[in-house]
mmCIF file of all heavy atoms in Angstrom:
data_model
loop_
_atom_site.group_PDB
_atom_site.id
_atom_site.type_symbol
_atom_site.label_atom_id
_atom_site.label_comp_id
_atom_site.label_asym_id
_atom_site.label_seq_id
_atom_site.Cartn_x
_atom_site.Cartn_y
_atom_site.Cartn_z
ATOM 1 N N MET A 1 -18.716 24.035 14.003
ATOM 2 C CA MET A 1 -18.019 24.107 12.744
ATOM 3 C C MET A 1 -16.546 23.756 12.980
ATOM 4 O O MET A 1 -15.825 24.468 13.648
ATOM 5 C CB MET A 1 -18.160 25.516 12.180
ATOM 6 C CG MET A 1 -18.032 25.533 10.703
ATOM 7 S SD MET A 1 -18.897 26.866 9.876
ATOM 8 C CE MET A 1 -18.077 28.321 10.335
ATOM 9 N N ALA A 2 -16.087 22.620 12.463
ATOM 10 C CA ALA A 2 -14.718 22.170 12.663
ATOM 11 C C ALA A 2 -13.889 22.448 11.416
ATOM 12 O O ALA A 2 -14.360 22.301 10.294
ATOM 13 C CB ALA A 2 -14.690 20.687 12.970
ATOM 14 N N SER A 3 -12.662 22.849 11.642
ATOM 15 C CA SER A 3 -11.742 23.089 10.537
ATOM 16 C C SER A 3 -11.040 21.787 10.185
ATOM 17 O O SER A 3 -10.649 21.016 11.050
ATOM 18 C CB SER A 3 -10.714 24.142 10.952
ATOM 19 O OG SER A 3 -9.739 24.275 9.954
ATOM 20 N N GLU A 4 -10.876 21.519 8.896
ATOM 21 C CA GLU A 4 -10.193 20.313 8.456
ATOM 22 C C GLU A 4 -8.677 20.445 8.528
ATOM 23 O O GLU A 4 -7.971 19.458 8.485
ATOM 24 C CB GLU A 4 -10.617 19.965 7.033
ATOM 25 C CG GLU A 4 -12.046 19.513 6.940
ATOM 26 C CD GLU A 4 -12.393 19.054 5.540
ATOM 27 O OE1 GLU A 4 -11.487 18.649 4.788
ATOM 28 O OE2 GLU A 4 -13.573 19.103 5.210
ATOM 29 N N GLY A 5 -8.171 21.638 8.624
ATOM 30 C CA GLY A 5 -6.738 21.854 8.692
ATOM 31 C C GLY A 5 -6.117 21.998 7.311
ATOM 32 O O GLY A 5 -6.752 21.798 6.286
ATOM 33 N N ASP A 6 -4.863 22.355 7.323
ATOM 34 C CA ASP A 6 -4.122 22.563 6.084
ATOM 35 C C ASP A 6 -3.535 21.235 5.621
ATOM 36 O O ASP A 6 -2.822 20.551 6.367
ATOM 37 C CB ASP A 6 -3.012 23.584 6.330
ATOM 38 C CG ASP A 6 -2.366 24.059 5.049
ATOM 39 O OD1 ASP A 6 -2.783 23.620 3.960
ATOM 40 O OD2 ASP A 6 -1.439 24.883 5.144
ATOM 41 N N ILE A 7 -3.811 20.837 4.405
ATOM 42 C CA ILE A 7 -3.359 19.558 3.873
ATOM 43 C C ILE A 7 -1.836 19.486 3.814
ATOM 44 O O ILE A 7 -1.248 18.416 3.978
ATOM 45 C CB ILE A 7 -3.999 19.267 2.498
ATOM 46 C CG1 ILE A 7 -3.704 17.832 2.036
ATOM 47 C CG2 ILE A 7 -3.498 20.244 1.460
ATOM 48 C CD1 ILE A 7 -4.441 16.797 2.778
ATOM 49 N N ARG A 8 -1.175 20.630 3.619
ATOM 50 C CA ARG A 8 0.285 20.631 3.558
ATOM 51 C C ARG A 8 0.898 20.200 4.876
ATOM 52 O O ARG A 8 1.891 19.471 4.900
ATOM 53 C CB ARG A 8 0.800 22.009 3.153
ATOM 54 C CG ARG A 8 0.401 22.388 1.730
ATOM 55 C CD ARG A 8 0.764 23.792 1.432
ATOM 56 N NE ARG A 8 -0.052 24.665 2.292
ATOM 57 C CZ ARG A 8 -0.106 25.979 2.203
ATOM 58 N NH1 ARG A 8 0.626 26.601 1.313
ATOM 59 N NH2 ARG A 8 -0.887 26.684 2.994
ATOM 60 N N VAL A 9 0.298 20.630 5.972
ATOM 61 C CA VAL A 9 0.789 20.232 7.293
ATOM 62 C C VAL A 9 0.605 18.732 7.487
ATOM 63 O O VAL A 9 1.502 18.042 7.994
ATOM 64 C CB VAL A 9 0.071 21.022 8.408
ATOM 65 C CG1 VAL A 9 0.464 20.506 9.775
ATOM 66 C CG2 VAL A 9 0.376 22.504 8.282
ATOM 67 N N LEU A 10 -0.519 18.205 7.064
ATOM 68 C CA LEU A 10 -0.770 16.773 7.194
ATOM 69 C C LEU A 10 0.201 15.951 6.359
ATOM 70 O O LEU A 10 0.683 14.901 6.797
ATOM 71 C CB LEU A 10 -2.212 16.455 6.792
ATOM 72 C CG LEU A 10 -3.293 17.011 7.707
ATOM 73 C CD1 LEU A 10 -4.668 16.729 7.121
ATOM 74 C CD2 LEU A 10 -3.164 16.433 9.094
ATOM 75 N N ILE A 11 0.511 16.423 5.171
ATOM 76 C CA ILE A 11 1.440 15.699 4.305
ATOM 77 C C ILE A 11 2.852 15.725 4.881
ATOM 78 O O ILE A 11 3.553 14.708 4.875
ATOM 79 C CB ILE A 11 1.395 16.257 2.868
ATOM 80 C CG1 ILE A 11 0.046 15.903 2.232
ATOM 81 C CG2 ILE A 11 2.549 15.733 2.033
ATOM 82 C CD1 ILE A 11 -0.202 16.513 0.883
ATOM 83 N N VAL A 12 3.282 16.868 5.410
ATOM 84 C CA VAL A 12 4.609 16.960 6.016
ATOM 85 C C VAL A 12 4.701 16.043 7.235
ATOM 86 O O VAL A 12 5.691 15.314 7.403
ATOM 87 C CB VAL A 12 4.953 18.417 6.387
ATOM 88 C CG1 VAL A 12 6.192 18.486 7.254
ATOM 89 C CG2 VAL A 12 5.135 19.250 5.129
ATOM 90 N N LEU A 13 3.673 16.045 8.075
ATOM 91 C CA LEU A 13 3.664 15.147 9.236
ATOM 92 C C LEU A 13 3.668 13.687 8.791
ATOM 93 O O LEU A 13 4.353 12.854 9.397
ATOM 94 C CB LEU A 13 2.447 15.420 10.109
ATOM 95 C CG LEU A 13 2.537 16.636 11.009
ATOM 96 C CD1 LEU A 13 1.199 16.873 11.702
ATOM 97 C CD2 LEU A 13 3.636 16.464 12.034
ATOM 98 N N ASP A 14 2.913 13.386 7.764
ATOM 99 C CA ASP A 14 2.883 12.021 7.232
ATOM 100 C C ASP A 14 4.272 11.601 6.774
ATOM 101 O O ASP A 14 4.731 10.503 7.091
ATOM 102 C CB ASP A 14 1.876 11.936 6.085
ATOM 103 C CG ASP A 14 1.770 10.556 5.475
ATOM 104 O OD1 ASP A 14 2.020 9.566 6.189
ATOM 105 O OD2 ASP A 14 1.416 10.468 4.288
ATOM 106 N N LEU A 15 4.965 12.467 6.048
ATOM 107 C CA LEU A 15 6.304 12.132 5.556
ATOM 108 C C LEU A 15 7.317 11.990 6.694
ATOM 109 O O LEU A 15 8.144 11.066 6.684
ATOM 110 C CB LEU A 15 6.777 13.182 4.555
ATOM 111 C CG LEU A 15 6.040 13.188 3.216
ATOM 112 C CD1 LEU A 15 6.489 14.379 2.376
ATOM 113 C CD2 LEU A 15 6.259 11.890 2.476
ATOM 114 N N LEU A 16 7.255 12.868 7.674
ATOM 115 C CA LEU A 16 8.184 12.790 8.802
ATOM 116 C C LEU A 16 7.973 11.527 9.628
ATOM 117 O O LEU A 16 8.934 10.823 9.975
ATOM 118 C CB LEU A 16 8.047 14.026 9.688
ATOM 119 C CG LEU A 16 8.586 15.331 9.121
ATOM 120 C CD1 LEU A 16 8.253 16.495 10.041
ATOM 121 C CD2 LEU A 16 10.086 15.232 8.920
ATOM 122 N N LEU A 17 6.725 11.233 9.943
ATOM 123 C CA LEU A 17 6.440 10.049 10.742
ATOM 124 C C LEU A 17 6.711 8.769 9.949
ATOM 125 O O LEU A 17 7.180 7.774 10.506
ATOM 126 C CB LEU A 17 5.004 10.080 11.249
ATOM 127 C CG LEU A 17 4.712 11.180 12.263
ATOM 128 C CD1 LEU A 17 3.230 11.235 12.586
ATOM 129 C CD2 LEU A 17 5.529 10.980 13.529
ATOM 130 N N SER A 18 6.446 8.794 8.659
ATOM 131 C CA SER A 18 6.749 7.634 7.819
ATOM 132 C C SER A 18 8.257 7.407 7.732
ATOM 133 O O SER A 18 8.717 6.256 7.731
ATOM 134 C CB SER A 18 6.173 7.828 6.422
ATOM 135 O OG SER A 18 4.773 7.877 6.472
ATOM 136 N N ALA A 19 9.025 8.476 7.652
ATOM 137 C CA ALA A 19 10.486 8.357 7.622
ATOM 138 C C ALA A 19 11.006 7.772 8.931
ATOM 139 O O ALA A 19 11.890 6.900 8.927
ATOM 140 C CB ALA A 19 11.126 9.711 7.350
ATOM 141 N N ALA A 20 10.462 8.220 10.045
ATOM 142 C CA ALA A 20 10.880 7.682 11.344
ATOM 143 C C ALA A 20 10.521 6.201 11.448
ATOM 144 O O ALA A 20 11.344 5.372 11.868
ATOM 145 C CB ALA A 20 10.225 8.471 12.473
ATOM 146 N N PHE A 21 9.313 5.844 11.066
ATOM 147 C CA PHE A 21 8.875 4.450 11.122
ATOM 148 C C PHE A 21 9.685 3.587 10.159
ATOM 149 O O PHE A 21 10.108 2.481 10.511
ATOM 150 C CB PHE A 21 7.384 4.348 10.800
ATOM 151 C CG PHE A 21 6.839 2.962 10.906
ATOM 152 C CD1 PHE A 21 6.675 2.363 12.137
ATOM 153 C CD2 PHE A 21 6.502 2.248 9.769
ATOM 154 C CE1 PHE A 21 6.183 1.075 12.244
ATOM 155 C CE2 PHE A 21 6.003 0.968 9.856
ATOM 156 C CZ PHE A 21 5.844 0.375 11.099
ATOM 157 N N GLY A 22 9.927 4.096 8.957
ATOM 158 C CA GLY A 22 10.731 3.358 7.984
ATOM 159 C C GLY A 22 12.152 3.124 8.469
ATOM 160 O O GLY A 22 12.721 2.055 8.267
ATOM 161 N N THR A 23 12.728 4.120 9.130
ATOM 162 C CA THR A 23 14.076 3.985 9.686
ATOM 163 C C THR A 23 14.117 2.893 10.740
ATOM 164 O O THR A 23 15.025 2.053 10.752
ATOM 165 C CB THR A 23 14.547 5.320 10.297
ATOM 166 O OG1 THR A 23 14.520 6.322 9.283
ATOM 167 C CG2 THR A 23 15.946 5.201 10.855
ATOM 168 N N ILE A 24 13.128 2.887 11.624
ATOM 169 C CA ILE A 24 13.089 1.877 12.686
ATOM 170 C C ILE A 24 12.912 0.474 12.101
ATOM 171 O O ILE A 24 13.580 -0.475 12.524
ATOM 172 C CB ILE A 24 11.966 2.206 13.685
ATOM 173 C CG1 ILE A 24 12.333 3.469 14.456
ATOM 174 C CG2 ILE A 24 11.707 1.048 14.633
ATOM 175 C CD1 ILE A 24 11.202 4.053 15.267
ATOM 176 N N VAL A 25 12.025 0.336 11.129
ATOM 177 C CA VAL A 25 11.782 -0.975 10.523
ATOM 178 C C VAL A 25 13.021 -1.473 9.783
ATOM 179 O O VAL A 25 13.437 -2.625 9.954
ATOM 180 C CB VAL A 25 10.556 -0.924 9.587
ATOM 181 C CG1 VAL A 25 10.454 -2.174 8.740
ATOM 182 C CG2 VAL A 25 9.285 -0.725 10.393
ATOM 183 N N VAL A 26 13.636 -0.622 8.984
ATOM 184 C CA VAL A 26 14.823 -1.033 8.231
ATOM 185 C C VAL A 26 15.975 -1.335 9.179
ATOM 186 O O VAL A 26 16.721 -2.298 8.990
ATOM 187 C CB VAL A 26 15.218 0.042 7.185
ATOM 188 C CG1 VAL A 26 16.554 -0.272 6.548
ATOM 189 C CG2 VAL A 26 14.139 0.156 6.129
ATOM 190 N N TRP A 27 16.123 -0.554 10.233
ATOM 191 C CA TRP A 27 17.175 -0.811 11.224
ATOM 192 C C TRP A 27 16.958 -2.163 11.897
ATOM 193 O O TRP A 27 17.901 -2.946 12.054
ATOM 194 C CB TRP A 27 17.182 0.312 12.267
ATOM 195 C CG TRP A 27 18.146 0.076 13.385
ATOM 196 C CD1 TRP A 27 19.503 0.178 13.339
ATOM 197 C CD2 TRP A 27 17.817 -0.329 14.711
ATOM 198 N NE1 TRP A 27 20.028 -0.126 14.561
ATOM 199 C CE2 TRP A 27 19.022 -0.437 15.426
ATOM 200 C CE3 TRP A 27 16.622 -0.585 15.360
ATOM 201 C CZ2 TRP A 27 19.058 -0.812 16.758
ATOM 202 C CZ3 TRP A 27 16.654 -0.954 16.696
ATOM 203 C CH2 TRP A 27 17.864 -1.066 17.378
ATOM 204 N N GLY A 28 15.715 -2.450 12.277
ATOM 205 C CA GLY A 28 15.413 -3.736 12.897
ATOM 206 C C GLY A 28 15.672 -4.903 11.952
ATOM 207 O O GLY A 28 16.222 -5.930 12.360
ATOM 208 N N LEU A 29 15.275 -4.743 10.702
ATOM 209 C CA LEU A 29 15.521 -5.805 9.728
ATOM 210 C C LEU A 29 17.008 -5.976 9.437
ATOM 211 O O LEU A 29 17.467 -7.085 9.154
ATOM 212 C CB LEU A 29 14.745 -5.533 8.441
ATOM 213 C CG LEU A 29 13.229 -5.685 8.540
ATOM 214 C CD1 LEU A 29 12.563 -5.240 7.248
ATOM 215 C CD2 LEU A 29 12.840 -7.111 8.886
ATOM 216 N N SER A 30 17.781 -4.885 9.534
ATOM 217 C CA SER A 30 19.222 -5.004 9.324
ATOM 218 C C SER A 30 19.882 -5.721 10.502
ATOM 219 O O SER A 30 20.872 -6.435 10.319
ATOM 220 C CB SER A 30 19.862 -3.638 9.098
ATOM 221 O OG SER A 30 19.892 -2.890 10.290
ATOM 222 N N LEU A 31 19.342 -5.558 11.704
ATOM 223 C CA LEU A 31 19.863 -6.296 12.859
ATOM 224 C C LEU A 31 19.630 -7.797 12.704
ATOM 225 O O LEU A 31 20.446 -8.603 13.136
ATOM 226 C CB LEU A 31 19.200 -5.820 14.152
ATOM 227 C CG LEU A 31 19.688 -4.506 14.740
ATOM 228 C CD1 LEU A 31 18.909 -4.171 15.992
ATOM 229 C CD2 LEU A 31 21.165 -4.554 15.038
ATOM 230 N N LEU A 32 18.517 -8.145 12.087
ATOM 231 C CA LEU A 32 18.198 -9.551 11.857
ATOM 232 C C LEU A 32 18.925 -10.121 10.642
ATOM 233 O O LEU A 32 18.876 -11.326 10.399
ATOM 234 C CB LEU A 32 16.688 -9.729 11.666
ATOM 235 C CG LEU A 32 15.812 -9.387 12.873
ATOM 236 C CD1 LEU A 32 14.341 -9.456 12.494
ATOM 237 C CD2 LEU A 32 16.126 -10.321 14.026
ATOM 238 N N GLY A 33 19.551 -9.263 9.858
ATOM 239 C CA GLY A 33 20.272 -9.701 8.677
ATOM 240 C C GLY A 33 19.389 -9.918 7.469
ATOM 241 O O GLY A 33 19.796 -10.548 6.499
ATOM 242 N N VAL A 34 18.182 -9.390 7.510
ATOM 243 C CA VAL A 34 17.236 -9.568 6.413
ATOM 244 C C VAL A 34 17.434 -8.526 5.331
ATOM 245 O O VAL A 34 17.269 -8.811 4.142
ATOM 246 C CB VAL A 34 15.785 -9.516 6.945
ATOM 247 C CG1 VAL A 34 14.780 -9.610 5.829
ATOM 248 C CG2 VAL A 34 15.559 -10.601 7.977
ATOM 249 N N LEU A 35 17.806 -7.324 5.726
ATOM 250 C CA LEU A 35 17.873 -6.191 4.807
ATOM 251 C C LEU A 35 19.077 -5.330 5.163
ATOM 252 O O LEU A 35 19.435 -5.209 6.335
ATOM 253 C CB LEU A 35 16.577 -5.376 4.951
ATOM 254 C CG LEU A 35 16.238 -4.322 3.934
ATOM 255 C CD1 LEU A 35 16.034 -4.954 2.565
ATOM 256 C CD2 LEU A 35 14.946 -3.619 4.336
ATOM 257 N N ALA A 36 19.694 -4.729 4.172
ATOM 258 C CA ALA A 36 20.824 -3.840 4.416
ATOM 259 C C ALA A 36 20.313 -2.438 4.767
ATOM 260 O O ALA A 36 19.388 -1.935 4.139
ATOM 261 C CB ALA A 36 21.718 -3.765 3.192
ATOM 262 N N PHE A 37 20.921 -1.843 5.787
ATOM 263 C CA PHE A 37 20.530 -0.500 6.196
ATOM 264 C C PHE A 37 21.244 0.515 5.314
ATOM 265 O O PHE A 37 22.471 0.595 5.290
ATOM 266 C CB PHE A 37 20.900 -0.254 7.660
ATOM 267 C CG PHE A 37 20.401 1.053 8.188
ATOM 268 C CD1 PHE A 37 19.118 1.159 8.680
ATOM 269 C CD2 PHE A 37 21.197 2.183 8.186
ATOM 270 C CE1 PHE A 37 18.634 2.356 9.168
ATOM 271 C CE2 PHE A 37 20.733 3.381 8.662
ATOM 272 C CZ PHE A 37 19.452 3.468 9.158
ATOM 273 N N SER A 38 20.461 1.285 4.550
ATOM 274 C CA SER A 38 21.024 2.346 3.718
ATOM 275 C C SER A 38 19.968 3.438 3.554
ATOM 276 O O SER A 38 18.785 3.225 3.841
ATOM 277 C CB SER A 38 21.455 1.816 2.345
ATOM 278 O OG SER A 38 20.320 1.479 1.566
ATOM 279 N N ILE A 39 20.409 4.568 3.106
ATOM 280 C CA ILE A 39 19.495 5.686 2.886
ATOM 281 C C ILE A 39 18.445 5.317 1.845
ATOM 282 O O ILE A 39 17.275 5.670 1.966
ATOM 283 C CB ILE A 39 20.281 6.941 2.441
ATOM 284 C CG1 ILE A 39 21.231 7.392 3.535
ATOM 285 C CG2 ILE A 39 19.347 8.063 2.049
ATOM 286 C CD1 ILE A 39 20.559 7.827 4.813
ATOM 287 N N ARG A 40 18.858 4.572 0.841
ATOM 288 C CA ARG A 40 17.930 4.180 -0.232
ATOM 289 C C ARG A 40 16.798 3.290 0.293
ATOM 290 O O ARG A 40 15.645 3.493 -0.038
ATOM 291 C CB ARG A 40 18.702 3.467 -1.330
ATOM 292 C CG ARG A 40 17.845 3.043 -2.469
ATOM 293 C CD ARG A 40 18.673 2.356 -3.516
ATOM 294 N NE ARG A 40 18.476 3.068 -4.764
ATOM 295 C CZ ARG A 40 19.163 2.884 -5.844
ATOM 296 N NH1 ARG A 40 20.153 2.028 -5.846
ATOM 297 N NH2 ARG A 40 18.897 3.553 -6.928
ATOM 298 N N THR A 41 17.138 2.302 1.133
ATOM 299 C CA THR A 41 16.094 1.418 1.663
ATOM 300 C C THR A 41 15.195 2.142 2.653
ATOM 301 O O THR A 41 13.987 1.896 2.694
ATOM 302 C CB THR A 41 16.704 0.160 2.317
ATOM 303 O OG1 THR A 41 17.634 0.554 3.316
ATOM 304 C CG2 THR A 41 17.371 -0.729 1.304
ATOM 305 N N VAL A 42 15.769 3.037 3.430
ATOM 306 C CA VAL A 42 14.960 3.830 4.361
ATOM 307 C C VAL A 42 14.009 4.735 3.585
ATOM 308 O O VAL A 42 12.826 4.851 3.922
ATOM 309 C CB VAL A 42 15.853 4.650 5.319
ATOM 310 C CG1 VAL A 42 15.040 5.652 6.099
ATOM 311 C CG2 VAL A 42 16.603 3.730 6.259
ATOM 312 N N ALA A 43 14.501 5.369 2.535
ATOM 313 C CA ALA A 43 13.657 6.257 1.722
ATOM 314 C C ALA A 43 12.539 5.473 1.042
ATOM 315 O O ALA A 43 11.386 5.934 0.999
ATOM 316 C CB ALA A 43 14.502 6.981 0.681
ATOM 317 N N LEU A 44 12.847 4.301 0.538
ATOM 318 C CA LEU A 44 11.825 3.475 -0.103
ATOM 319 C C LEU A 44 10.769 3.027 0.904
ATOM 320 O O LEU A 44 9.569 3.093 0.617
ATOM 321 C CB LEU A 44 12.468 2.263 -0.772
ATOM 322 C CG LEU A 44 11.524 1.340 -1.521
ATOM 323 C CD1 LEU A 44 10.844 2.091 -2.661
ATOM 324 C CD2 LEU A 44 12.273 0.140 -2.056
ATOM 325 N N ALA A 45 11.206 2.608 2.080
ATOM 326 C CA ALA A 45 10.253 2.208 3.124
ATOM 327 C C ALA A 45 9.380 3.392 3.541
ATOM 328 O O ALA A 45 8.168 3.243 3.728
ATOM 329 C CB ALA A 45 11.004 1.651 4.330
ATOM 330 N N ALA A 46 9.984 4.569 3.672
ATOM 331 C CA ALA A 46 9.225 5.761 4.055
ATOM 332 C C ALA A 46 8.203 6.129 2.992
ATOM 333 O O ALA A 46 7.057 6.480 3.319
ATOM 334 C CB ALA A 46 10.176 6.931 4.304
ATOM 335 N N LEU A 47 8.571 6.042 1.725
ATOM 336 C CA LEU A 47 7.623 6.352 0.655
ATOM 337 C C LEU A 47 6.470 5.361 0.605
ATOM 338 O O LEU A 47 5.322 5.749 0.373
ATOM 339 C CB LEU A 47 8.348 6.390 -0.689
ATOM 340 C CG LEU A 47 9.212 7.620 -0.930
ATOM 341 C CD1 LEU A 47 9.963 7.479 -2.253
ATOM 342 C CD2 LEU A 47 8.366 8.878 -0.940
ATOM 343 N N VAL A 48 6.757 4.090 0.837
ATOM 344 C CA VAL A 48 5.698 3.081 0.841
ATOM 345 C C VAL A 48 4.731 3.329 1.989
ATOM 346 O O VAL A 48 3.502 3.314 1.801
ATOM 347 C CB VAL A 48 6.303 1.657 0.910
ATOM 348 C CG1 VAL A 48 5.241 0.618 1.204
ATOM 349 C CG2 VAL A 48 7.018 1.336 -0.381
ATOM 350 N N VAL A 49 5.261 3.580 3.173
ATOM 351 C CA VAL A 49 4.400 3.841 4.332
ATOM 352 C C VAL A 49 3.604 5.127 4.128
ATOM 353 O O VAL A 49 2.415 5.186 4.438
ATOM 354 C CB VAL A 49 5.229 3.908 5.633
ATOM 355 C CG1 VAL A 49 4.387 4.371 6.803
ATOM 356 C CG2 VAL A 49 5.839 2.552 5.929
ATOM 357 N N ALA A 50 4.230 6.168 3.591
ATOM 358 C CA ALA A 50 3.537 7.433 3.347
ATOM 359 C C ALA A 50 2.415 7.264 2.327
ATOM 360 O O ALA A 50 1.325 7.817 2.489
ATOM 361 C CB ALA A 50 4.523 8.504 2.880
ATOM 362 N N ALA A 51 2.671 6.497 1.284
ATOM 363 C CA ALA A 51 1.645 6.270 0.266
ATOM 364 C C ALA A 51 0.463 5.491 0.825
ATOM 365 O O ALA A 51 -0.698 5.837 0.577
ATOM 366 C CB ALA A 51 2.242 5.524 -0.928
ATOM 367 N N ILE A 52 0.746 4.467 1.606
ATOM 368 C CA ILE A 52 -0.334 3.693 2.224
ATOM 369 C C ILE A 52 -1.139 4.565 3.179
ATOM 370 O O ILE A 52 -2.370 4.514 3.188
ATOM 371 C CB ILE A 52 0.236 2.452 2.933
ATOM 372 C CG1 ILE A 52 0.772 1.467 1.907
ATOM 373 C CG2 ILE A 52 -0.821 1.792 3.814
ATOM 374 C CD1 ILE A 52 1.568 0.328 2.498
ATOM 375 N N THR A 53 -0.448 5.368 3.970
ATOM 376 C CA THR A 53 -1.128 6.262 4.902
ATOM 377 C C THR A 53 -1.985 7.280 4.168
ATOM 378 O O THR A 53 -3.122 7.549 4.549
ATOM 379 C CB THR A 53 -0.107 7.001 5.789
ATOM 380 O OG1 THR A 53 0.698 6.039 6.450
ATOM 381 C CG2 THR A 53 -0.796 7.878 6.814
ATOM 382 N N TYR A 54 -1.442 7.839 3.103
ATOM 383 C CA TYR A 54 -2.188 8.826 2.320
ATOM 384 C C TYR A 54 -3.456 8.217 1.742
ATOM 385 O O TYR A 54 -4.538 8.802 1.826
ATOM 386 C CB TYR A 54 -1.305 9.393 1.207
ATOM 387 C CG TYR A 54 -2.038 10.400 0.353
ATOM 388 C CD1 TYR A 54 -2.225 11.706 0.790
ATOM 389 C CD2 TYR A 54 -2.550 10.044 -0.892
ATOM 390 C CE1 TYR A 54 -2.909 12.636 0.018
ATOM 391 C CE2 TYR A 54 -3.227 10.958 -1.664
ATOM 392 C CZ TYR A 54 -3.404 12.245 -1.218
ATOM 393 O OH TYR A 54 -4.086 13.148 -1.992
ATOM 394 N N LEU A 55 -3.327 7.042 1.170
ATOM 395 C CA LEU A 55 -4.489 6.395 0.560
ATOM 396 C C LEU A 55 -5.530 5.973 1.598
ATOM 397 O O LEU A 55 -6.729 6.059 1.343
ATOM 398 C CB LEU A 55 -4.049 5.178 -0.256
ATOM 399 C CG LEU A 55 -3.254 5.495 -1.512
ATOM 400 C CD1 LEU A 55 -2.749 4.196 -2.145
ATOM 401 C CD2 LEU A 55 -4.084 6.295 -2.503
ATOM 402 N N ALA A 56 -5.070 5.540 2.756
ATOM 403 C CA ALA A 56 -5.996 5.050 3.779
ATOM 404 C C ALA A 56 -6.652 6.169 4.580
ATOM 405 O O ALA A 56 -7.818 6.057 4.960
ATOM 406 C CB ALA A 56 -5.254 4.114 4.722
ATOM 407 N N VAL A 57 -5.924 7.242 4.836
ATOM 408 C CA VAL A 57 -6.414 8.246 5.784
ATOM 409 C C VAL A 57 -6.771 9.563 5.122
ATOM 410 O O VAL A 57 -7.836 10.134 5.378
ATOM 411 C CB VAL A 57 -5.373 8.500 6.889
ATOM 412 C CG1 VAL A 57 -5.806 9.579 7.832
ATOM 413 C CG2 VAL A 57 -5.093 7.210 7.648
ATOM 414 N N LEU A 58 -5.908 10.080 4.290
ATOM 415 C CA LEU A 58 -6.078 11.432 3.792
ATOM 416 C C LEU A 58 -6.980 11.542 2.583
ATOM 417 O O LEU A 58 -7.447 12.630 2.257
ATOM 418 C CB LEU A 58 -4.705 12.042 3.475
ATOM 419 C CG LEU A 58 -3.776 12.203 4.677
ATOM 420 C CD1 LEU A 58 -2.444 12.737 4.224
ATOM 421 C CD2 LEU A 58 -4.396 13.122 5.715
ATOM 422 N N ARG A 59 -7.247 10.476 1.875
ATOM 423 C CA ARG A 59 -8.106 10.559 0.693
ATOM 424 C C ARG A 59 -9.525 10.486 1.044
ATOM 425 O O ARG A 59 -10.163 9.893 1.671
ATOM 426 C CB ARG A 59 -7.729 9.467 -0.287
ATOM 427 C CG ARG A 59 -6.596 10.014 -1.147
ATOM 428 C CD ARG A 59 -6.578 9.412 -2.453
ATOM 429 N NE ARG A 59 -6.708 10.528 -3.385
ATOM 430 C CZ ARG A 59 -6.965 10.379 -4.630
ATOM 431 N NH1 ARG A 59 -7.152 9.206 -5.128
ATOM 432 N NH2 ARG A 59 -7.053 11.387 -5.433
#
């Protein structure tokens, strides 16, 4: 009998890891001059990654 775990913990981990990944991607794109590095772009990238992850894995 395996426990599925608490969904709140999974969502928090998803948001934290998505924020880290979004920061790295936006930072890399800003080095290339493709995108400006700002809190708004990092937050948008993190939300997009979190939503994709949620739909692909957690649903």
Side-chain angles (χ1 to χ4, degrees):
M1 206 153 68
S3 174
E4 291 185 25
D6 191 1
I7 189 72
R8 294 173 294 188
V9 174
L10 293 175
I11 291 174
V12 169
L13 282 174
D14 180 28
L15 290 173
L16 288 174
L17 293 173
S18 295
F21 183 72
T23 302
I24 291 168
V25 168
V26 171
W27 175 74
L29 290 174
S30 72
L31 282 179
L32 296 174
V34 176
L35 193 63
F37 186 85
S38 70
I39 297 297
R40 181 180 237 170
T41 55
V42 169
L44 182 61
L47 285 175
V48 168
V49 172
I52 291 170
T53 304
Y54 179 79
L55 291 174
V57 177
L58 297 177
R59 274 208 122 193

